[in-house]
Amino acid sequence: MFKQRLISGVILVILAFVILYFGGIVTFLATAGISLIGMFELLRVIHVEKSALAVIAYSGAILYYLLLILNLDQYIVPLVLLVLILLFTVYVFTFPKYEISHVAITFFSLFYVTVMLSCIYRIRMLEDGGCLIVLVFLSAWGNDTLAYCAGRLFGKHKMSPVLSPKKTVEGAVGGVAGAGLLGAIYGCLAVNFIAAQYNLMLVFAVVCAAGGLISIVGDLGASAIKRNYGIKDYSNLIPGHGGILDRFDSIIFTAPIIYYLLALVVGLK
């Protein structure tokens, strides 16, 4: 299992590097594809992945990405409202085939997976986006790795005993601090690639620490959904890792936080 997980992990890192290196249409298509697969995994949990509700959600996701690449953000809210209206239309005229929870989770999937993951593409398309996108993975995966190490060494107090018995407060603190440290180190290196008017080391440290903190919520949130529905993994798409949502659970939350923090702190648009 460890060997399989390691090989899959290495392949994932290589694919992520290639996809993000080229940017543009490559990153756009990859992010959109990952979003659609993630939505499929989530909707399969409630057994509506091939239903009329799902078709509306998938169509909404595709239209959302088209608006994104065409820089037509002003039409995103009307699109979201249209999706909600169509979902309720199906709910009403096929009653009692679907429950309101089906409608709610289907609508939720559009935001939780598509909109939040799309921030990967948004960051990549910023000026110096090829360098800035690294912050997402330093925050999410860096926090996860360092939290595990800190927890193993110093962990005593359970953070969420019922949901994730192995996670500790000490591990969480170590992970967030470690993510901030990785951000600071990366900031020191990035001065060779980014001509910025701000302190890269400080900004990157703060952004990565904040991203690392919110990634804990993303990780636990995905686990909570699985616990609610009694499943171990969202799928077996990635050997040793599970599905898209199993591997990208923390990134789903980290990407938008990184994007909007950069916009707030640095003034990037």
Side-chain angles (χ1 to χ4, degrees):
M1 175 61 75
F2 174 77
K3 182 179 179 181
Q4 185 183 58
R5 185 178 176 85
L6 178 62
I7 294 173
S8 297
V10 171
I11 293 174
L12 278 176
V13 170
I14 294 173
L15 286 174
F17 175 81
V18 172
I19 289 168
L20 296 173
Y21 173 80
F22 285 104
I25 192 66
V26 175
T27 301
F28 172 80
L29 291 175
T31 308
I34 289 171
S35 297
L36 288 170
I37 295 172
M39 288 181 70
F40 177 85
E41 291 179 348
L42 183 57
L43 296 180
R44 186 167 60 178
V45 171
I46 58 172
H47 310 294
V48 298
E49 75 279 7
K50 297 180 181 179
S51 67
L53 296 178
V55 171
I56 294 170
Y58 301 147
S59 300
I62 292 170
L63 288 173
Y64 168 81
Y65 271 103
L66 288 177
L67 294 177
L68 191 61
I69 198 171
L70 294 173
N71 294 314
L72 297 173
D73 285 17
Q74 67 270 29
Y75 295 109
I76 289 177
V77 172
L79 171 65
V80 170
L81 293 175
L82 176 61
V83 169
L84 180 58
I85 291 170
L86 291 175
L87 290 174
F88 259 89
T89 300
V90 171
Y91 172 59
V92 168
F93 287 103
T94 61
F95 191 85
K97 182 177 181 179
Y98 303 108
E99 298 178 3
I100 188 60
S101 60
H102 293 143
V103 176
I105 294 175
T106 302
F107 187 62
F108 167 73
S109 72
L110 183 62
F111 282 91
Y112 176 59
V113 185
T114 298
V115 175
M116 295 178 80
L117 267 181
S118 71
C119 288
I120 293 176
Y121 172 73
R122 288 181 180 273
I123 294 173
R124 181 61 184 86
M125 296 311 293
L126 293 171
E127 183 178 358
D128 299 314
C131 294
L132 296 174
I133 193 64
V134 175
L135 298 174
V136 174
F137 298 94
L138 286 179
S139 298
W141 293 348
N143 172 80
D144 186 47
T145 301
L146 295 173
Y148 173 79
C149 295
R152 293 278 293 183
L153 292 173
F154 311 109
K156 293 182 179 180
H157 301 88
K158 302 296 183 182
M159 184 171 63
S160 182
V162 176
L163 184 56
S164 187
K166 293 183 180 180
K167 292 187 184 298
T168 63
V169 173
E170 293 82 3
V173 172
V176 172
L181 178 60
L182 289 175
I185 294 172
Y186 182 60
C188 292
L189 298 174
V191 295
N192 298 309
F193 310 101
I194 301 176
Q197 302 299 316
Y198 52 91
N199 188 319
L200 282 175
M201 184 182 75
L202 177 60
V203 170
F204 284 9
V206 171
V207 167
C208 280
L213 181 62
I214 202 66
S215 75
I216 297 173
V217 178
D219 183 23
L220 291 175
S223 296
I225 294 172
K226 289 190 287 187
R227 289 292 185 92
N228 279 156
Y229 288 94
I231 60 173
K232 183 178 183 296
D233 295 316
Y234 284 100
S235 76
N236 57 0
L237 179 66
I238 309 170
H241 292 268
I244 289 295
L245 295 183
D246 296 292
R247 183 65 277 179
F248 287 82
D249 51 6
S250 56
I251 289 177
I252 286 174
F253 271 65
T254 304
I257 290 297
I258 297 293
Y259 176 72
Y260 286 107
L261 278 178
L262 287 172
L264 176 66
V265 176
V266 184
L268 295 173
K269 296 181 180 180

